[in-house]
Amino acid sequence: MSRVGVYKIDITPPLGIDFIGYHRPEGIRNIDERIFSTAFVFENNQDTSVFISVDNIGLLIEDTSVIRERIAAELNVSYEKITVVYTHTHSGPATVSSRELVKAYKTILIENTVKAAVMAHERLQPSEVGWNVTLADIGVNRREETAGGRVKMGTNENGVVDKRIGIMAIRHQQDRTLSGAIVFCTAHPNVLKSDSDSLSGDYPGESRKILEQTLGCPVIIVQGAAGNVNARYRGSREALEKMAYALSGSVLTMIPSIEYKKISKLNTQSTIMPMTLIEIPKPEGIERMATNAEEQWGVNTSKWLTHMLGKYKQDDRHISIDLEIQSFRVNEGSFSGIPMEPFSESALEVHEKLNDPLAFFGGYTNGYLGYLPTKEAYPYGGYEVELNPVVYGPITNLWMPPAEDTSQKVVHRVLEMHRECERR
């Protein structure tokens, strides 16, 4: 048995809802394009796996867990076999707020995402899958070094970028028409900035539109290790189109040479790794972190500051949280993901140590916590290392940066999971 089912459902929010990604006080005023949740269900004789893409910057882990638990109950599939990835568009709707409009929208989003999985399962049909990979220059490293030996958000043309563009295409076994495609790439979906008041899937949405019109099937764009990689073109509708043409053009060049096979290997596994955070500094260090975040990002850090000073006063300076690492494999290709924003160096290490260009690693998987820098990035500081936990810690519970060796531990665990799958 080798079957795949696909279903795409609209999750476009009402006008007026808050943005998330860039602060825009007026909220969403226009709809540049509608946004979606798209579910793929894969099945062979031994296993069933669910893979879902949601057009959002990333729901919290607890909200994503609700989606996975409900799908598990509806389809009688193990929770660990369900993968939810987020496109990480910076022009999508908020899902964390005390506003009734946001809370109501999140309820509808969850309902429709579960429904997409159920409908995809109902549409299972004999299918074949095929993989391919190429290289494209759609991203640029954004950690620009300053004269003082630190980094700022900017452009580092010499910085590391995972340039791979991958595809897993699915076709009907009988008539050999395409039924779906999953595209893997690495570049922040932050082309449109705070001067845009329109809902948009950003370049993944624009690329998907081109590919779906050309291929005649649902397409999802899965984000890689883009924690230190911006979109190469940014700031305008023209830039959005350039990104979309660059990505979709690369994908279309791969289609003719894809070789399709029945699903012989299907494995989704999940593991929990305790993640230690950097030790909470003394009060003057805590206050310095809060001041830097306020000065550089214009945010109110009072909640973070009060919480961290309280932790220090209670002599509770060591924080550890659980991190889920999940690996999804179909035949010769795979995607491993975490609910963070890893750096491209980590993805390339996985690829190189496995000697496998079809071994993809990324973030925005099963929720959102914050950034996962490499150990080498810590001495240079910057938003991804120092400031993100201050800005978003009160929401995500990542109150401090991960310990410096965390990315190494995550890569090691990903490699172990791959090798365990091969042994099986």
Side-chain angles (χ1 to χ4, degrees), residues 39 80 89 138 141 150 174 217 256 266 291 347 353 380 388 391:
E80 291 77 15
T89 174
I138 68 167
N141 192 293
R150 305 285 284 175
Q174 190 168 18
C217 65
L266 177 63
T291 299
K353 287 191 173 178
Y380 298 94
N388 179 263
V391 176

Side-chain angles (χ1 to χ4, degrees), residues 112 234 287 293:
N112 280 349
R234 300 180 65 205
E287 291 169 0

Side-chain angles (χ1 to χ4, degrees), residues 3 78 81 95 104 113 124 127 222 249 257 294 335 374 377 412 416:
R3 302 198 298 169
S78 171
K81 302 288 186 182
T95 56
T113 302
L124 281 167
S127 302
V222 178
S257 57
E294 288 184 353
F335 173 79
T374 57
H412 179 71
E416 283 184 335

Side-chain angles (χ1 to χ4, degrees), residues 319-377:
I319 306 174
S320 181
I321 59 179
D322 287 340
L323 178 69
E324 181 182 14
I325 306 171
Q326 192 181 49
S327 176
F328 165 78
R329 183 182 185 92
V330 180
N331 289 355
E332 67 269 31
S334 65
F335 173 79
S336 301
I338 57 175
M340 302 187 77
E341 302 193 53
F343 282 18
S344 267
E345 288 88 339
S346 296
L348 291 172
E349 184 177 356
V350 170
H351 153 43
E352 289 161 5
K353 287 191 173 178
L354 292 173
N355 192 27
D356 184 356
L358 293 176
F360 296 96
F361 171 66
Y364 323 103
T365 304
N366 296 324
Y368 183 81
L369 276 172
Y371 284 83
L372 181 62
T374 57
K375 183 177 182 179
E376 293 74 16

Side-chain angles (χ1 to χ4, degrees), residues 150-181:
R150 305 285 284 175
V151 301
K152 65 178 182 178
M153 198 80 81
T155 300
N156 179 4
E157 289 288 356
N158 297 319
V160 173
V161 176
D162 184 356
K163 296 184 178 183
R164 288 175 298 162
I165 307 292
I167 183 172
M168 177 173 64
I170 301 105
R171 73 180 186 185
H172 301 297
Q173 191 173 314
Q174 190 168 18
D175 63 16
R176 298 189 174 185
T177 59
L178 288 176
S179 59

Side-chain angles (χ1 to χ4, degrees), residues 60 277 303-305 307-308 321 368-370 383 386-401:
L60 296 178
L277 307 187
K303 186 174 180 179
W304 182 88
L305 182 62
H307 181 84
M308 300 310 289
I321 59 179
Y368 183 81
L369 276 172
Y383 173 74
E386 299 170 328
L387 302 184
N388 179 263
V390 184
V391 176
Y392 288 108
I395 298 173
T396 66
N397 288 320
L398 188 77
W399 294 94
M400 290 291 292

Side-chain angles (χ1 to χ4, degrees), residues 291-312:
T291 299
N292 288 341
E294 288 184 353
E295 290 177 350
Q296 295 184 44
W297 290 89
V299 295
N300 185 334
T301 63
S302 58
K303 186 174 180 179
W304 182 88
L305 182 62
T306 300
H307 181 84
M308 300 310 289
L309 289 173
K311 284 273 191 184
Y312 184 86

